[in-house]
Amino acid sequence: MNFRYGLQARFVALMAVALLVVLALMLLLWSRQGRMQSEVENVTREGIERIANATLRRQGEGMVTQLSESLANPLYYFDLDAIGVLGRATLNQPGIRYVLVYDTEGNIVHDGSEEIPSYGKRMDDAMAGQAIATPQLLTQFGEDLMDVAAPIMIGNERIGGVRVGFDLRGLRNDQDAAVSDLRTRLDELGRRQLLWVALLSAGLLGLGVLMLWLIQRFLVRPIRQLADAAHSIEMGHFETARAPVSTRNDEVGDLLRAFNRMNTSVARHDREIRRMAYTDALTSLANRLAFRETLDQRLLQMHGAGRQLALLFADIDDFKRVNDTLGHDAGDEVLLQFAQRIRDAVKRIGGPDAALARFGGDEFVILVEPDTQAGHDARHVASRLAEALVAELGQPITVHDRQVFLGTSIGITLFPEDASGANSLMKNGDIAMYQAKVAGKNCYRFYSRAMDQAVERRVHLEHELRGAWDRGELSLAYQPVFRVSDNALVGAEALLRWRHPEHGTIAPSVFIDVAEQSGLIEVLGPQVLRAACEDAVGWEKHRGGRDPLFVSVNLSPRQLRSGDLPQLVASVLRDTGLHPRQLHLELTETAVLGDEALASAMLSQLRTTGVQVWLDDFGTGFSGLSHLRRVPVDGVKIDRSFVADILRDPDDLALTTAIIAMAHSLGIIVVAEGVEREGQYQLLRDRDCDLAQGYLLGHPMPVSEFDKLLR
Ligand code: C2E
Ligand code: MG
Ligand code: MG
């Protein structure tokens, strides 16, 4: 662990600084005390000396004054014996070093001894001069001596003097003893004080350590634990990221508890966000993101393991129609039921390692990973599952008390055959699914490399379709429409044809889809409308007084949604001079019911101009008969899938019959599409169908041929 100047280090440093300051203060105190001690000693010594000196001086001066008075007479009479007695008496007193009696010249008369060896000698010591010269009492101090000199007077005449030397050594010794006693006491005092200081320092140190420990235990440690826990949260480990449970009734306790509460709520939010990010809200299945992660993970484990997997892309056929015709609630319900069916099938066939996700909209993706050890083959399992799904999802679904028939197109791609990367696999699955749609829907297709080319062709097709009208590759074919009651020709449906210079005739089911999806239809549509109207105007001259023929033009949902349809129709009619009654517009249920309010308003607007609006491919959507009441149309075209079966399937016949009856009750004309056989035509006539078209009556033909037919 690398060192960090953290909270604890800071406290230690602070503590150390405080201790150092205290230590320095103590040292200063200690040295001050030493100096004070020696000062006290000096002052004491001086005081003692001054007091001792003063006392000695007073005593000495008193004594010498008395002596000088006693000596006056003996000296006057020069009685040496008497002087000697007095001198000796004084000399014998303790602490007297010498007694000198001298004459006015300073010559010694007596020194207190028996023989007086110094008799007549002149005093020549250091203090003699002063003593001789001064006519009053004089006290002088020497090294270890106090010299007191007093004149000896007879009346006012000075006849000599006396000097007594007091020995100061004893006194000094006493003084020294007293001072040294004082010093030992002061030292003792100092030592005791030092001990206290040491104890105080130790106490302070102990206090510091205790504080550090307390800080560590109650502040630093919880903060560290919090930091660790916060780090864990950062890493996403919410379970391990718990701060210690604390019963402490202080701010840190509050903090720890608040932290744990926060952690719980963050963890909950994280779980929710994860769940939201990884699951589809409607079906609770995994979403695209979650699936992609699963796929990446599986692919990572795959490599070199000789394992296989298959991806199935399932898309509900024409699901948009459910939303458009029954509403989004019904759409959601359908998706939920589909999801449940897929779940069941995957559980049954896909094996334990299968994964299922909804990619948004009506697209479901399934990952199957067969147990290759057990001899299962990815292709085999995938096709079994796809078959089951197509069969199961083809069963009718009951939504809002209505039965809905839907199919599913499934694209399958295999790892490692088709691709090794997740991106390519997903793209392949999509392409294969698209191919299943192209192949007629409600089936499944395995991806093949040729499909890539098909997709490319589609892009190419769109590109080529862009200039096709101007290059004259597009033309209109007309399929005659007859009145059933008297077999009279009443009009024709305009159907777009594309003669491609290389690929020959391309089916409208292919290129109309491309035009619709690329938006090209918004350019093509008006061109078709204009051309059809022009052609219809041309037919008039062949009619010779008979009822004019109508032309019926198909409109794509996109054209209806673009909004300017009434204006376009009006301007085309004005430009070509075609009577509005002679124009029929064919719209699919999907287009009309996508936005019912808008469509109704627009259809009403169109119809007021005299143009007729027909519902094309009626019966394939889900609008049902009741919708006819709400949508203002002039006619319905029964889809050729019903007409094809009316001879065999009683249900289709019943439905066709019902449509005709219902339409008539609402004053709506009925057209039957795809009449190929005489029997169908007979049956339709029996059921009172108004108009009919089909290969039996006439194929779609170029305008030139249609012209011939008219003549
Ligand atoms: P639709 O409007 O339902 O047109 C009728 C289709 O049925 C035409 O196919 C026609 O050739 C075909 N048909 C007619 N009689 C019979 C029959 O007896 N048996 C069979 N099996 N089929 C018959 P086509 O021409 O391939 O058109 C397909 C669809 O393309 C049309 O269906 C229409 O929805 C669309 N379409 C065609 N031309 C245009 C156009 O100019 N604009 C738009 N928006 N769509 C168009
Ligand atoms: Mg049509
Ligand atoms: Mg049709």
Side-chain angles (χ1 to χ4, degrees):
M1 201 185 104
N2 52 352
F3 176 76
R4 195 162 130 238
Y5 189 59
L7 208 54
Q8 194 171 20
R10 268 170 226 233
F11 277 122
V12 169
L14 200 74
M15 218 57 222
V17 168
L19 267 174
L20 276 177
V21 168
V22 168
L23 221 69
L25 271 175
M26 297 223 165
L27 277 176
L28 196 74
L29 216 72
W30 177 243
S31 82
R32 280 290 313 148
Q33 186 192 315
R35 220 169 315 148
M36 216 159 71
Q37 212 165 309
S38 65
E39 228 160 88
V40 166
E41 198 182 309
N42 283 340
V43 168
T44 310
R45 182 190 293 276
E46 276 167 21
I48 290 175
E49 205 171 282
R50 207 168 45 242
I51 292 165
N53 284 0
T55 311
L56 196 67
R57 183 178 184 153
R58 225 177 20 254
Q59 284 173 355
E61 280 176 356
M63 179 180 166
V64 172
T65 307
Q66 217 173 5
L67 186 62
S68 75
E69 276 166 15
S70 311
L71 282 170
N73 276 335
L75 185 61
Y76 186 74
Y77 295 109
F78 209 72
D79 183 353
L80 283 178
D81 288 338
I83 294 171
V85 170
L86 282 170
R88 253 190 308 284
T90 304
L91 198 60
N92 283 343
Q93 285 185 35
I96 304 295
R97 202 179 296 173
Y98 58 82
V99 175
L100 294 172
V101 181
Y102 51 91
D103 61 13
T104 46
E105 302 304 314
N107 298 322
I108 295 171
V109 176
H110 207 301
D111 59 4
S113 62
E114 292 289 342
E115 293 86 25
I116 321 174
S118 56
Y119 182 81
K121 284 187 188 156
R122 189 175 168 85
M123 298 183 296
D124 53 358
D125 59 295
M127 290 180 238
Q130 277 279 92
I132 298 162
T134 311
Q136 287 113 19
L137 191 67
L138 172 73
T139 307
Q140 300 180 82
F141 284 91
E143 174 67 8
D144 51 1
L145 186 78
M146 181 178 79
D147 180 277
V148 181
I152 300 173
M153 313 282 287
I154 292 290
N156 285 333
E157 192 192 346
R158 184 184 178 197
I159 58 170
V162 62
R163 283 176 67 200
V164 178
F166 294 86
D167 199 339
L168 293 182
R169 271 180 308 197
L171 192 75
R172 291 285 180 261
N173 283 346
D174 287 350
Q175 264 177 34
D176 285 349
V179 168
S180 93
D181 187 38
L182 179 77
R183 189 186 302 132
T184 35
R185 280 179 160 216
L186 280 177
D187 281 351
E188 173 69 14
L189 216 68
R191 261 198 303 283
R192 226 176 292 157
Q193 201 155 327
L194 189 69
L195 189 74
W196 277 114
V197 167
L199 275 177
L200 211 72
S201 299
L204 219 64
L205 195 75
L207 198 72
V209 170
L210 184 74
M211 284 222 340
L212 267 181
W213 181 77
L214 286 176
I215 286 169
Q216 158 71 22
R217 183 152 176 3
F218 292 111
L219 216 60
V220 176
R221 199 166 65 182
I223 289 176
R224 281 235 176 102
Q225 283 164 337
L226 279 183
D228 288 346
H231 188 63
S232 292
I233 290 179
E234 224 179 328
M235 311 288 284
H237 310 314
F238 294 101
E239 293 322 308
T240 55
R242 298 210 64 85
V245 177
S246 171
T247 50
R248 283 171 64 177
N249 190 22
D250 59 6
E251 290 84 348
V252 175
D254 288 346
L255 183 65
L256 290 173
R257 282 185 291 275
F259 185 91
N260 278 340
R261 282 197 301 276
M262 182 197 75
N263 181 22
T264 315
S265 99
V266 168
R268 198 180 52 238
H269 278 129
D270 183 76
R271 268 198 308 278
E272 262 160 35
I273 287 170
R274 250 164 221 281
R275 198 177 46 79
M276 261 152 55
Y278 283 102
T279 53
D280 169 48
L282 178 68
T283 59
S284 304
L285 290 174
N287 63 8
R288 182 185 289 269
L289 185 69
F291 186 83
R292 183 56 205 259
E293 279 185 17
T294 310
L295 179 61
D296 284 339
Q297 217 175 320
R298 296 282 180 96
L299 287 177
L300 215 64
Q301 300 162 354
M302 290 278 146
H303 281 290
R307 282 147 72 180
Q308 309 173 323
L309 59 78
L311 292 188
L312 286 81
F313 281 64
D315 190 282
I316 305 176
D317 296 331
D318 305 316
F319 174 71
K320 201 177 151 311
R321 278 210 303 216
V322 179
N323 270 340
D324 288 346
T325 56
L326 299 181
H328 285 270
D329 284 349
D332 286 353
E333 181 58 37
V334 167
L335 284 174
L336 277 172
Q337 293 195 30
F338 257 71
Q340 192 49 50
R341 289 185 190 183
I342 296 176
R343 227 185 247 129
D344 293 343
V346 169
K347 205 189 230 166
R348 215 156 17 86
I349 302 166
D353 290 331
L356 167 62
R358 177 178 169 229
F359 269 30
D362 55 348
E363 198 174 335
F364 294 85
V365 181
I366 305 148
L367 182 156
V368 285
E369 196 187 333
D371 191 355
T372 37
Q373 249 96 33
H376 295 301
D377 171 59
R379 179 178 288 272
H380 177 68
V381 175
S383 52
R384 269 212 311 143
L385 179 57
E387 264 161 36
L389 285 174
V390 168
E392 216 112 303
L393 299 177
Q395 298 297 316
I397 285 183
T398 309
V399 192
H400 296 185
D401 298 331
R402 179 172 294 165
Q403 286 220 323
V404 175
F405 288 83
L406 285 168
T408 309
S409 302
I410 300 174
I412 308 172
T413 183
L414 301 170
F415 170 92
E417 281 106 302
D418 298 340
S420 55
N423 279 338
S424 325
L425 281 173
M426 308 250 278
K427 197 184 111 214
N428 292 350
D430 226 30
I431 290 173
M433 191 264 288
Y434 178 73
Q435 287 303 317
K437 294 253 186 229
V438 170
K441 303 183 178 173
N442 206 27
C443 63
Y444 67 92
R445 284 288 178 274
F446 278 95
Y447 168 82
S448 74
R449 295 209 193 284
M451 287 181 181
D452 274 346
Q453 294 158 10
V455 170
E456 248 170 63
R457 268 209 303 278
R458 190 183 163 83
V459 174
H460 197 58
L461 207 65
E462 183 190 322
H463 183 73
E464 289 184 319
L465 187 58
R466 241 166 241 288
W469 186 273
D470 294 333
R471 288 195 301 271
E473 292 167 16
L474 290 169
S475 63
L476 287 175
Y478 293 95
Q479 183 173 37
V481 179
F482 295 90
R483 192 157 50 220
V484 178
S485 56
D486 58 357
N487 294 336
L489 177 68
V490 288
E493 177 176 7
L495 294 162
L496 195 56
R497 293 287 174 263
W498 184 11
R499 184 169 286 280
H500 192 276
E502 288 164 44
H503 307 307
T505 308
I506 298 175
S509 55
V510 175
F511 72 83
I512 292 290
D513 198 35
V514 172
E516 170 77 23
Q517 276 172 23
S518 62
L520 215 58
I521 198 75
E522 286 177 48
V523 182
L524 281 178
Q527 288 168 330
V528 168
L529 181 66
R530 193 169 291 270
C533 289
E534 279 167 2
D535 286 341
V537 170
W539 298 333
E540 286 313 302
K541 52 183 180 281
H542 307 297
R543 291 297 286 167
R546 281 172 292 170
D547 279 348
L549 298 179
F550 67 79
V551 66
S552 164
V553 177
N554 291 287
L555 292 182
S556 92
R558 206 166 172 142
Q559 279 174 278
L560 186 68
R561 254 175 270 135
S562 72
D564 58 356
L565 191 60
Q567 290 89 315
L568 173 75
V569 170
S571 80
V572 168
L573 288 175
R574 199 176 48 241
D575 296 348
T576 57
L578 186 70
H579 196 281
R581 243 196 349 263
Q582 288 172 258
L583 179 61
H584 293 184
L585 297 176
E586 292 189 13
L587 291 157
T588 57
E589 277 177 286
T590 318
V592 173
L593 300 173
D595 187 343
E596 209 170 287
L598 176 89
S600 298
M602 200 170 284
L603 295 190
S604 303
Q605 208 180 331
L606 281 171
R607 290 178 70 209
T608 51
T609 65
V611 172
Q612 291 202 7
V613 176
W614 288 12
L615 268 192
D616 203 354
D617 302 344
F618 191 76
T620 55
F622 307 96
S623 56
L625 298 172
S626 57
H627 264 278
L628 279 180
R629 292 179 202 279
R630 279 184 266 158
V631 187
V633 292
D634 303 283
V636 292
K637 298 185 79 170
I638 300 176
D639 192 67
R640 62 176 181 272
S641 59
F642 293 101
V643 176
D645 281 346
I646 47 173
L647 289 179
R648 289 189 285 110
D649 191 339
D651 280 352
D652 278 350
L653 178 60
L655 193 67
T656 307
T657 311
I659 291 173
I660 295 170
M662 175 89 183
H664 283 171
S665 77
L666 293 168
I668 292 173
I669 285 176
V670 181
V671 187
E673 285 186 327
V675 180
E676 294 181 356
R677 299 213 231 139
E678 193 54 53
Q680 294 164 339
Y681 194 53
Q682 282 300 332
L683 205 53
L684 288 165
R685 189 190 313 223
D686 290 349
R687 307 284 150 156
D688 253 356
C689 184
D690 301 286
L691 307 177
Q693 62 185 98
Y695 293 166
L696 174 75
L697 306 164
H699 282 262
M701 57 193 86
V703 69
S704 54
E705 233 173 273
F706 191 71
D707 276 348
K708 264 184 236 158
L709 183 83
L710 289 181
R711 280 192 219 116

